[in-house]
Amino acid sequence: MTRVLYESANGDAWRLVRDPQSGVAMVEHKPNPSSGGRTSLIEIGKFLRAGANGPEHQALLQLIGTLVND
């Protein structure tokens, strides 16, 4: 099961997925074909530390925020 976090206008896509080997929640990044298109898995904390100002980071933070009740 995956959940789309963000898809950019240039074709990059970020999804929340489970690592098939460990079962841990990860961020999957699939660059557009002109960037090589090589999919990578990134641990959530590392993804957010890498630059939480991008729209893909903000989308993940927004999703996390929906899990907390006011």
Side-chain angles (χ1 to χ4, degrees):
M1 181 198 252
T2 67
R3 180 169 184 153
V4 174
L5 294 173
Y6 183 76
E7 293 179 335
S8 69
N10 72 353
D12 283 7
W14 289 263
R15 292 177 177 79
L16 187 60
V17 302
R18 288 209 178 269
D19 181 294
Q21 295 177 350
S22 68
V24 173
M26 307 280 278
V27 174
E28 176 188 76
H29 176 225
K30 184 172 184 181
N32 65 46
S34 65
S35 296
R38 179 174 234 142
T39 300
S40 61
L41 290 175
I42 309 162
E43 187 269 328
I44 290 172
K46 185 175 182 178
F47 174 76
L48 289 173
R49 285 189 302 274
N53 294 325
E56 62 277 12
H57 300 95
Q58 296 303 313
L60 177 58
L61 290 170
Q62 184 177 11
L63 175 62
I64 292 169
T66 66
L67 303 174
V68 179
N69 292 330
D70 290 335

XYZ file of all heavy atoms in Angstrom:
529
model
N 0.838 -1.166 0.000
C 0.000 0.000 0.000
C 0.891 1.241 0.000
O 1.873 1.306 0.744
C -0.888 -0.006 1.233
C -1.803 1.169 1.291
S -2.423 1.426 2.916
C -4.028 1.016 2.988
N 0.583 2.204 -0.821
C 1.350 3.448 -0.894
C 0.399 4.630 -0.818
O -0.795 4.504 -1.080
C 2.164 3.542 -2.201
O 1.269 3.655 -3.298
C 3.067 2.342 -2.379
N 0.950 5.773 -0.471
C 0.159 7.007 -0.441
C 0.984 8.093 -1.118
O 2.128 8.345 -0.735
C -0.152 7.401 0.991
C -0.957 8.667 1.062
C -1.471 8.890 2.435
N -2.317 10.061 2.430
C -3.289 10.244 3.265
N -3.557 9.329 4.165
N -4.000 11.341 3.223
N 0.409 8.708 -2.130
C 1.099 9.784 -2.838
C 1.207 10.979 -1.900
O 0.216 11.421 -1.322
C 0.350 10.178 -4.125
C 1.001 11.397 -4.770
C 0.299 9.015 -5.097
N 2.434 11.483 -1.738
C 2.657 12.695 -0.957
C 2.625 13.919 -1.848
O 1.974 14.911 -1.543
C 4.014 12.637 -0.253
C 4.188 11.583 0.824
C 5.631 11.540 1.310
C 3.243 11.858 1.979
N 3.354 13.831 -2.969
C 3.469 14.992 -3.849
C 3.944 14.549 -5.219
O 4.795 13.664 -5.329
C 4.474 15.999 -3.259
C 4.612 17.263 -4.042
C 3.643 18.249 -3.979
C 5.711 17.469 -4.866
C 3.761 19.415 -4.716
C 5.847 18.637 -5.599
C 4.860 19.607 -5.521
O 4.980 20.759 -6.252
N 3.394 15.165 -6.245
C 3.859 14.974 -7.626
C 4.145 16.341 -8.204
O 3.277 17.200 -8.216
C 2.811 14.237 -8.454
C 2.616 12.801 -8.007
C 1.561 12.048 -8.807
O 0.657 12.708 -9.378
O 1.632 10.820 -8.847
N 5.382 16.541 -8.652
C 5.768 17.846 -9.177
C 5.350 17.994 -10.634
O 5.071 17.010 -11.322
C 7.280 18.050 -9.047
O 7.961 17.186 -9.931
N 5.358 19.228 -11.092
C 4.992 19.515 -12.479
C 5.964 18.879 -13.466
O 5.599 18.585 -14.603
C 4.937 21.029 -12.689
N 7.216 18.630 -13.042
C 8.200 18.053 -13.961
C 8.191 16.521 -13.960
O 9.000 15.898 -14.639
C 9.609 18.580 -13.658
C 10.194 18.022 -12.367
O 9.529 17.335 -11.611
N 11.438 18.347 -12.123
N 7.280 15.920 -13.175
C 7.138 14.470 -13.219
C 7.760 13.704 -12.069
O 7.619 12.488 -11.991
N 8.461 14.386 -11.149
C 8.963 13.699 -9.956
C 7.781 13.325 -9.065
O 6.778 14.044 -9.017
C 9.899 14.603 -9.158
C 11.281 14.736 -9.764
O 11.490 14.239 -10.890
O 12.152 15.329 -9.119
N 7.908 12.220 -8.340
C 6.836 11.790 -7.443
C 7.431 11.291 -6.135
O 8.480 10.638 -6.122
C 6.018 10.680 -8.095
N 6.761 11.620 -5.044
C 7.138 11.151 -3.714
C 5.932 10.425 -3.130
O 4.809 10.921 -3.192
C 7.507 12.318 -2.804
C 8.791 12.977 -3.164
C 10.010 12.745 -2.617
C 9.003 13.987 -4.153
N 10.960 13.534 -3.194
C 10.370 14.320 -4.147
C 8.163 14.656 -5.049
C 10.921 15.279 -4.988
C 8.699 15.600 -5.888
C 10.064 15.912 -5.858
N 6.176 9.250 -2.557
C 5.111 8.444 -1.973
C 5.542 7.936 -0.603
O 6.722 7.690 -0.372
C 4.789 7.253 -2.866
C 4.156 7.644 -4.182
C 3.900 6.438 -5.086
N 3.239 6.833 -6.312
C 3.831 7.389 -7.360
N 5.127 7.613 -7.333
N 3.153 7.734 -8.427
N 4.582 7.765 0.278
C 4.820 7.116 1.556
C 4.582 5.634 1.332
O 3.517 5.242 0.852
C 3.875 7.680 2.611
C 4.105 7.234 4.041
C 5.498 7.611 4.527
C 3.051 7.847 4.952
N 5.576 4.818 1.617
C 5.511 3.376 1.359
C 6.094 2.615 2.545
O 6.668 3.204 3.451
C 6.293 2.990 0.077
C 5.771 3.732 -1.144
C 7.784 3.242 0.235
N 5.976 1.301 2.510
C 6.663 0.445 3.474
C 7.825 -0.227 2.752
O 7.659 -0.728 1.643
C 5.726 -0.618 4.032
C 4.705 -0.037 4.966
C 4.282 -1.057 6.011
N 3.342 -0.447 6.913
C 3.675 0.174 8.042
N 4.924 0.260 8.400
N 2.755 0.704 8.810
N 8.984 -0.225 3.386
C 10.140 -0.921 2.832
C 9.771 -2.398 2.718
O 9.321 -3.004 3.695
C 11.341 -0.738 3.753
C 12.585 -1.415 3.227
O 12.588 -2.662 3.153
O 13.552 -0.717 2.912
N 9.917 -2.982 1.537
C 9.503 -4.375 1.350
C 10.283 -5.375 2.198
O 9.770 -6.439 2.513
C 9.725 -4.628 -0.141
C 10.601 -3.540 -0.619
C 10.444 -2.388 0.330
N 11.480 -5.029 2.597
C 12.290 -5.955 3.394
C 12.046 -5.805 4.891
O 11.915 -6.782 5.607
C 13.765 -5.774 3.077
C 14.098 -6.156 1.656
C 15.555 -5.908 1.313
O 16.282 -5.279 2.069
N 15.974 -6.408 0.171
N 11.993 -4.558 5.376
C 11.886 -4.337 6.823
C 10.470 -4.032 7.296
O 10.180 -4.158 8.474
C 12.803 -3.180 7.233
O 12.316 -1.957 6.702
N 9.614 -3.566 6.389
C 8.263 -3.174 6.777
C 8.183 -1.775 7.367
O 7.118 -1.309 7.750
N 9.323 -1.069 7.427
C 9.382 0.278 7.994
C 8.812 1.284 6.987
O 9.059 1.177 5.788
C 10.845 0.638 8.344
C 10.986 2.084 8.772
C 11.368 -0.294 9.414
N 8.071 2.278 7.491
C 7.548 3.340 6.625
C 8.711 4.176 6.099
O 9.611 4.551 6.850
C 6.564 4.214 7.377
N 8.685 4.442 4.799
C 9.753 5.187 4.123
C 9.119 6.137 3.112
O 7.952 5.999 2.761
C 10.665 4.227 3.353
C 11.236 3.076 4.145
S 12.636 3.517 5.127
C 13.946 3.461 3.930
N 9.926 7.065 2.624
C 9.519 7.922 1.512
C 10.186 7.370 0.255
O 11.401 7.162 0.228
C 9.931 9.388 1.734
C 9.629 10.235 0.501
C 9.232 9.955 2.960
N 9.383 7.128 -0.753
C 9.887 6.669 -2.045
C 9.930 7.866 -2.989
O 8.934 8.570 -3.130
C 8.964 5.597 -2.614
C 9.362 5.125 -3.996
C 8.317 4.223 -4.596
O 7.266 4.757 -5.044
O 8.536 3.012 -4.602
N 11.074 8.094 -3.593
C 11.207 9.180 -4.574
C 11.453 8.567 -5.936
O 12.379 7.781 -6.110
C 12.365 10.109 -4.207
C 12.599 11.175 -5.226
N 13.857 11.502 -5.667
C 11.748 11.969 -5.900
C 13.759 12.468 -6.568
N 12.490 12.771 -6.726
N 10.620 8.929 -6.884
C 10.794 8.479 -8.260
C 10.989 9.716 -9.128
O 10.034 10.439 -9.426
C 9.587 7.676 -8.739
C 9.809 7.133 -10.133
C 8.719 6.183 -10.556
C 9.076 5.610 -11.912
N 8.057 4.707 -12.401
N 12.238 9.976 -9.527
C 12.503 11.126 -10.390
C 11.898 10.924 -11.781
O 11.649 9.797 -12.194
C 14.029 11.181 -10.482
C 14.552 10.200 -9.504
C 13.448 9.256 -9.188
N 11.730 12.024 -12.483
C 11.211 11.926 -13.849
C 12.253 11.230 -14.735
O 13.432 11.167 -14.392
C 10.824 13.309 -14.382
C 11.996 14.243 -14.533
O 13.036 13.878 -15.064
N 11.851 15.466 -14.055
N 11.815 10.696 -15.857
C 12.731 9.948 -16.735
C 13.961 10.741 -17.186
O 15.046 10.178 -17.289
C 11.850 9.569 -17.922
C 10.463 9.521 -17.360
C 10.434 10.619 -16.334
N 13.823 12.041 -17.414
C 14.982 12.823 -17.868
C 16.032 12.989 -16.765
O 17.183 13.298 -17.049
C 14.543 14.190 -18.384
O 13.986 14.970 -17.355
N 15.642 12.766 -15.511
C 16.594 12.807 -14.392
C 17.156 11.435 -14.077
O 17.854 11.271 -13.088
C 15.907 13.359 -13.141
O 15.503 14.681 -13.326
N 16.823 10.470 -14.876
C 17.321 9.118 -14.651
C 16.250 8.147 -14.213
O 16.365 6.949 -14.402
N 15.189 8.660 -13.575
C 14.070 7.824 -13.201
C 14.366 6.719 -12.209
O 13.572 5.814 -12.033
N 15.504 6.767 -11.535
C 15.890 5.710 -10.589
C 15.206 5.943 -9.238
O 15.477 6.917 -8.548
C 17.393 5.672 -10.422
C 17.840 4.619 -9.441
C 19.336 4.496 -9.399
N 19.608 3.089 -9.635
C 20.582 2.603 -10.332
N 21.429 3.413 -10.912
N 20.743 1.325 -10.463
N 14.327 5.031 -8.862
C 13.573 5.136 -7.618
C 14.475 4.891 -6.413
O 15.340 4.019 -6.443
C 12.415 4.116 -7.615
O 11.563 4.401 -8.734
C 11.605 4.185 -6.345
N 14.272 5.683 -5.350
C 15.037 5.494 -4.122
C 14.096 5.513 -2.921
O 13.033 6.124 -2.956
C 16.097 6.581 -3.972
O 15.504 7.858 -3.902
N 14.499 4.818 -1.858
C 13.774 4.821 -0.595
C 14.582 5.624 0.418
O 15.798 5.466 0.517
C 13.583 3.399 -0.063
C 12.612 2.520 -0.839
C 12.614 1.103 -0.265
C 11.209 3.094 -0.794
N 13.889 6.487 1.164
C 14.552 7.367 2.124
C 13.824 7.240 3.466
O 12.597 7.347 3.522
C 14.494 8.839 1.645
C 14.990 8.967 0.209
C 15.267 9.750 2.587
C 14.567 10.251 -0.485
N 14.591 7.024 4.546
C 14.006 6.976 5.881
C 13.322 8.324 6.153
O 13.838 9.376 5.773
C 15.129 6.680 6.880
C 14.672 6.427 8.284
C 14.634 7.675 9.126
O 15.446 8.602 8.928
O 13.746 7.733 9.987
N 12.176 8.304 6.802
C 11.361 9.511 6.985
C 12.143 10.627 7.685
O 12.119 11.772 7.244
C 10.055 9.188 7.732
C 9.152 8.360 6.816
C 9.348 10.453 8.180
C 7.909 7.816 7.482
N 12.831 10.316 8.766
C 13.595 11.340 9.486
C 14.675 11.956 8.619
O 14.862 13.175 8.600
N 15.392 11.142 7.895
C 16.456 11.627 6.998
C 15.859 12.499 5.892
O 16.415 13.533 5.530
C 17.199 10.436 6.400
C 18.386 10.814 5.566
C 19.142 9.584 5.107
C 20.365 9.960 4.313
N 21.139 8.789 3.890
N 14.719 12.093 5.362
C 14.024 12.863 4.333
C 13.680 14.254 4.847
O 13.927 15.254 4.174
C 12.759 12.111 3.903
C 11.875 12.861 2.958
C 12.207 12.983 1.617
C 10.691 13.433 3.398
C 11.386 13.667 0.729
C 9.860 14.107 2.524
C 10.203 14.230 1.187
N 13.142 14.327 6.055
C 12.742 15.620 6.603
C 13.959 16.472 6.969
O 13.939 17.690 6.786
C 11.838 15.433 7.820
C 10.444 14.906 7.490
C 9.679 14.585 8.758
C 9.674 15.895 6.620
N 15.021 15.866 7.463
C 16.228 16.623 7.798
C 16.932 17.154 6.554
O 17.657 18.139 6.619
C 17.204 15.756 8.597
C 16.791 15.540 10.041
C 17.882 14.867 10.840
N 18.303 13.575 10.317
C 17.721 12.407 10.596
N 16.669 12.362 11.385
N 18.173 11.283 10.079
N 16.718 16.513 5.418
C 17.416 16.878 4.185
C 16.932 18.197 3.583
O 17.512 18.667 2.623
C 17.285 15.757 3.157
N 15.888 18.776 4.105
C 15.414 20.038 3.545
C 13.915 20.138 3.592
O 13.252 20.023 2.574
N 13.373 20.336 4.753
C 11.924 20.290 4.942
C 11.192 21.500 4.384
O 10.059 21.747 4.749
C 11.609 20.120 6.430
N 11.806 22.240 3.480
C 11.139 23.402 2.907
C 10.489 23.121 1.565
O 9.744 23.943 1.054
C 12.124 24.568 2.766
C 12.585 25.067 4.110
O 11.832 25.070 5.069
N 13.837 25.471 4.191
N 10.770 21.973 0.967
C 10.187 21.647 -0.331
C 8.731 21.251 -0.200
O 8.269 20.860 0.873
N 7.972 21.356 -1.268
C 6.551 20.995 -1.201
C 6.329 19.527 -0.843
O 5.339 19.191 -0.193
C 6.017 21.324 -2.595
C 7.216 21.410 -3.476
C 8.361 21.805 -2.600
N 7.262 18.649 -1.222
C 7.131 17.237 -0.872
C 7.314 17.038 0.634
O 6.641 16.209 1.258
C 8.127 16.380 -1.659
C 9.581 16.662 -1.429
C 10.166 17.818 -2.219
O 9.415 18.611 -2.823
O 11.401 17.933 -2.235
N 8.192 17.832 1.249
C 8.395 17.771 2.696
C 7.172 18.327 3.422
O 6.707 17.761 4.413
C 9.644 18.563 3.099
C 10.889 18.050 2.468
N 11.390 18.585 1.311
C 11.720 17.039 2.812
C 12.488 17.935 0.977
N 12.715 16.982 1.873
N 6.664 19.439 2.921
C 5.484 20.045 3.533
C 4.279 19.111 3.450
O 3.474 19.044 4.385
C 5.182 21.399 2.870
C 6.270 22.438 3.070
C 6.560 22.706 4.535
O 5.658 22.889 5.340
N 7.839 22.712 4.888
N 4.156 18.375 2.355
C 3.047 17.429 2.208
C 3.136 16.323 3.257
O 2.121 15.925 3.837
C 3.036 16.830 0.803
N 4.338 15.827 3.533
C 4.508 14.796 4.555
C 4.203 15.366 5.937
O 3.512 14.730 6.730
C 5.920 14.208 4.523
C 6.231 13.173 5.609
C 5.255 12.000 5.551
C 7.661 12.681 5.482
N 4.691 16.559 6.226
C 4.408 17.177 7.514
C 2.912 17.410 7.706
O 2.374 17.216 8.798
C 5.185 18.489 7.655
C 6.691 18.333 7.812
C 7.375 19.693 7.703
C 7.034 17.649 9.119
N 2.234 17.803 6.646
C 0.785 18.002 6.714
C 0.082 16.681 7.008
O -0.824 16.616 7.832
C 0.267 18.603 5.412
C -1.205 18.920 5.441
C -1.671 19.593 4.153
O -0.939 19.640 3.158
N -2.872 20.101 4.163
N 0.516 15.608 6.355
C -0.065 14.289 6.603
C 0.163 13.873 8.054
O -0.760 13.399 8.725
C 0.544 13.250 5.658
C 0.119 11.805 5.892
C -1.385 11.636 5.700
C 0.881 10.879 4.968
N 1.361 14.078 8.564
C 1.652 13.744 9.960
C 0.762 14.567 10.883
O 0.243 14.047 11.877
C 3.147 13.965 10.269
C 3.996 12.936 9.515
C 3.412 13.900 11.772
C 5.481 13.225 9.529
N 0.547 15.810 10.550
C -0.300 16.685 11.369
C -1.736 16.216 11.460
O -2.411 16.465 12.460
N -2.215 15.508 10.452
C -3.598 15.008 10.501
C -3.737 13.848 11.489
O -4.859 13.487 11.845
C -4.085 14.528 9.116
O -3.330 13.374 8.711
C -3.986 15.626 8.072
N -2.630 13.285 11.937
C -2.677 12.164 12.866
C -2.790 12.600 14.321
O -3.005 11.778 15.203
C -1.415 11.304 12.696
C -1.170 10.760 11.277
C 0.162 10.054 11.213
C -2.305 9.858 10.850
N -2.646 13.904 14.565
C -2.673 14.445 15.923
C -4.002 15.176 16.136
O -4.367 16.051 15.362
C -1.499 15.428 16.141
C -1.527 16.007 17.533
C -0.181 14.740 15.855
N -4.700 14.797 17.183
C -5.955 15.464 17.523
C -5.672 16.768 18.249
O -4.737 16.854 19.040
C -6.812 14.572 18.408
C -7.317 13.351 17.676
O -7.517 13.383 16.475
N -7.503 12.275 18.406
N -6.492 17.748 17.988
C -6.352 19.053 18.699
C -6.828 18.923 20.124
O -7.688 18.228 20.488
C -7.145 20.149 17.991
C -6.492 20.514 16.650
O -5.286 20.301 16.509
O -7.219 21.039 15.790
